[in-house]
Amino acid sequence: MAGFRTANEFRHDTEREAAEALVQNLQAPAQVVGNYVLPGRYTGGEIDLLVILAEGILVVEVKNWFGRIQRVGTLVEFEDGYSVPSPFPGLQYKTKMLRSYLVSQDVISDGVPVGGCLIYVGKLDLPDDLRAAEHVFSVDVASKKRALLQPLALHGRRETLDEKTITAVAEFLAEKTAGTETWRVGSFVLDEELPATEFTRQFVGRCSHIYNRDVLLRCWEIDPLAEHRKRAATLRKLEAEASALARLESCRCPALPIVYDAFRDPANFNVFWVAQEYIGPDTLATLAHRFVKDAAFRERVLAQLDDALEALGQAGIVHRNIAAEVISVGTDDRILLGGLEFSASADGHTGRRTVAHHSRQPPERLRGKADCHAGDVYAAGLMVLDLLVPGAGSLRGRLRRVEDRSIRQQLSACLDDNPQERPKSLERLRKSLREWRL
């Protein structure tokens, strides 16, 4: 009987059902690995099942689908009106990245075929062209080794794996990973396009990984007319920055967007996708009057911003762009700190020169020093000062216009020219603002 190993606990009964059916019917020395997450720069989401055969390695997506499929495009559309995001582009991406990873680690040679297929659990009526083009099988059909060889035969590679190698590959893939250091490839339905930022196009849509909440999709586009070396350098920069943002997922800070998607579009290699949570159209800039007049609202916003700053610090990321314009406010007063496209690594390895508001750079940056967490505290203090004392005037002049002595002292501390003298958090500033009334 084929062996079965798991990289993580099963999240869905349908995946377990499919895995058990494959294990029961495949003959040794085949191996099945479940819930595998690609590591490092090859990451791109969880692979439901991996089937390791003498003839090659198969990446398997498992779906619980019922009914008759009418068409497949960006969506898989069913006859009864139900539709789901198409999983096939993501499956192609995972297959490609798995093969690259295994070859780079010398686990397999370049001659071993790696393919992909979709297994459905349920009663499904499929168009013939979908079966042929996308390799979609029921659990019963997929349990037969002959069906699984179909997507492997297309790759033109003929090298086979012996029993010892199959076991070694399975053990290598079954190494446990928490998954918190990676981001996931999701399937998205786009609803509308939002105003673009300097670097990205943005869309509001729905994601298969996030229930009862909208998501913000950002498409990082590279100038197709740029010289090849410049395009490659830009893509490497975006890849590194997306990797830095992905580290925030392990922090689970509700005030920070969790990066659910960061991958090259399989249809266009020069497009890099990043998906983030999105909660509403209002920003702190549009609700400045409420921040000034509503003490409870002010405390909630600053408390969540303080949590976000702590999470950024723990993740080794400097935001560099904290302002009222990048803080979204939901109807439940939950905030989302956006503007992370300008963030940088706190170790100085991310060479970002541009920020959205040059006037908001802390004094140390103007003196040519590296970005640090104290710079974000400075920006947060400046944002609060702008909300309390709007208008023109020098920084010190506007500070003198703050009548409450305690608030003035704490803002002055956040805005100190020496980053070493600034507080590590906004706790004292929050305390001074709790009982303040306009």
Side-chain angles (χ1 to χ4, degrees):
M1 181 180 290
F4 174 73
R5 301 155 192 268
T6 178
N8 287 308
E9 291 297 320
F10 272 100
R11 291 185 174 87
H12 303 291
D13 291 339
T14 51
E15 292 176 24
R16 180 175 294 279
E17 182 179 339
E20 291 174 348
L22 289 174
V23 169
Q24 290 171 5
N25 289 285
L26 290 177
Q27 298 299 311
Q31 298 269 358
V32 178
V33 175
N35 290 344
Y36 180 70
V37 179
L38 281 162
R41 67 188 183 93
Y42 297 96
T43 194
E46 182 181 289
I47 296 174
D48 294 341
L49 298 174
L50 285 165
V51 182
I52 308 156
L53 305 160
E55 293 80 3
I57 301 172
L58 200 65
V59 176
V60 179
E61 187 84 7
V62 181
K63 296 295 181 185
N64 189 11
W65 281 352
F66 292 83
R68 176 177 176 78
I69 293 178
Q70 285 190 317
R71 69 177 61 85
V72 176
T74 304
L75 299 175
V76 177
E77 300 178 26
F78 292 78
E79 191 174 54
D80 62 0
Y82 177 69
S83 64
V84 293
S86 175
F88 299 117
L91 178 60
Q92 293 172 359
Y93 175 82
K94 294 175 189 179
T95 301
K96 177 181 176 181
M97 289 297 102
L98 177 69
R99 181 180 179 277
S100 298
Y101 174 58
L102 294 178
V103 170
S104 72
Q105 298 296 308
D106 295 323
V107 178
I108 62 172
S109 70
D110 190 55
V112 176
V114 179
C117 72
L118 185 144
I119 294 177
Y120 63 90
V121 179
K123 186 177 180 181
L124 189 67
D125 187 2
L126 287 163
D128 291 339
D129 57 344
L130 181 64
R131 292 180 186 274
E134 303 291 359
H135 304 291
V136 181
F137 309 119
S138 67
V139 170
D140 293 339
V141 172
S143 299
K144 310 301 187 293
K145 182 177 179 180
R146 184 175 58 185
L148 296 178
L149 298 183
Q150 294 179 29
L152 294 175
L154 295 178
H155 294 269
R157 299 179 176 89
R158 294 292 181 265
E159 186 171 333
T160 58
L161 303 174
D162 58 27
E163 182 173 357
K164 182 179 179 181
T165 305
I166 290 175
T167 301
V169 172
E171 290 178 349
F172 177 82
L173 292 172
E175 290 179 346
K176 291 186 177 180
T177 172
T180 55
E181 73 280 7
T182 63
W183 59 92
R184 306 178 183 88
V185 170
S187 301
F188 299 94
V189 181
L190 302 184
D191 291 329
E192 63 175 307
E193 184 166 359
L194 300 177
T197 71
E198 183 177 353
F199 297 123
T200 68
R201 292 176 66 195
Q202 303 184 108
F203 305 85
V204 175
R206 286 157 283 138
C207 174
S208 59
H209 289 298
I210 309 172
Y211 297 94
N212 301 321
R213 186 179 297 163
D214 288 339
V215 295
L216 174 65
L217 294 180
R218 282 180 172 164
C219 179
W220 300 72
E221 293 188 345
I222 299 173
D223 183 0
L225 301 179
E227 186 260 338
H228 175 73
R229 185 183 302 176
K230 183 177 180 180
R231 291 206 312 270
T234 304
L235 192 58
R236 283 196 298 270
K237 178 189 288 187
L238 295 179
E239 195 169 29
E241 291 168 5
S243 178
L245 296 181
R247 301 208 308 266
L248 292 171
E249 182 166 336
S250 62
C251 298
R252 301 295 181 188
C253 175
L256 287 169
I258 296 176
V259 178
Y260 272 88
D261 208 19
F263 66 99
R264 293 186 180 97
D265 189 328
N268 185 347
F269 195 71
N270 287 331
V271 175
F272 199 81
W273 289 91
V274 177
Q276 298 173 318
E277 292 184 10
Y278 177 73
I279 56 172
D282 290 323
T283 68
L284 191 56
T286 61
L287 298 176
H289 63 287
R290 187 179 175 197
F291 182 89
V292 173
K293 295 181 178 181
D294 187 339
F297 171 71
R298 184 168 59 244
E299 167 59 19
R300 284 194 294 269
V301 169
L302 291 179
Q304 292 175 79
L305 177 58
D306 213 7
D307 288 344
L309 289 177
E310 181 181 0
L312 285 165
Q314 291 176 354
I317 296 174
V318 184
H319 189 284
R320 302 177 77 242
N321 187 33
I322 293 175
E325 293 80 9
V326 301
I327 295 178
S328 298
V329 182
T331 54
D332 58 354
D333 289 341
R334 175 174 171 242
I335 75 162
L336 176 66
L337 179 60
L340 282 159
E341 63 268 29
F342 294 99
S343 65
S345 174
D347 58 16
H349 291 166
T350 309
R352 297 302 301 273
R353 297 181 179 179
T354 305
V355 293
H357 303 282
H358 296 282
S359 62
R360 307 186 70 80
Q361 294 188 57
E364 62 271 20
R365 283 296 297 148
L366 297 177
R367 295 193 292 264
K369 301 294 184 180
D371 293 299
C372 62
H373 176 71
D376 284 346
V377 173
Y378 179 94
L382 184 57
M383 178 193 75
V384 173
L385 178 63
D386 289 342
L387 291 169
L388 298 182
V389 188
S394 67
L395 180 66
R396 299 304 163 188
R398 287 193 295 143
L399 276 172
R400 287 193 293 269
R401 290 165 55 191
V402 178
E403 296 181 359
D404 186 282
R405 180 181 178 184
S406 175
I407 297 175
R408 185 170 63 250
Q409 288 177 338
Q410 297 307 321
L411 285 174
S412 297
C414 292
L415 299 170
D416 197 293
D417 284 350
N418 184 353
Q420 302 299 325
E421 298 297 324
R422 293 176 202 148
K424 303 299 182 183
S425 72
L426 304 179
E427 183 178 357
R428 291 183 178 178
L429 176 60
R430 287 164 47 199
K431 184 178 180 180
S432 67
L433 283 165
R434 279 178 193 142
E435 302 304 323
W436 177 76
R437 295 291 185 275
L438 180 64

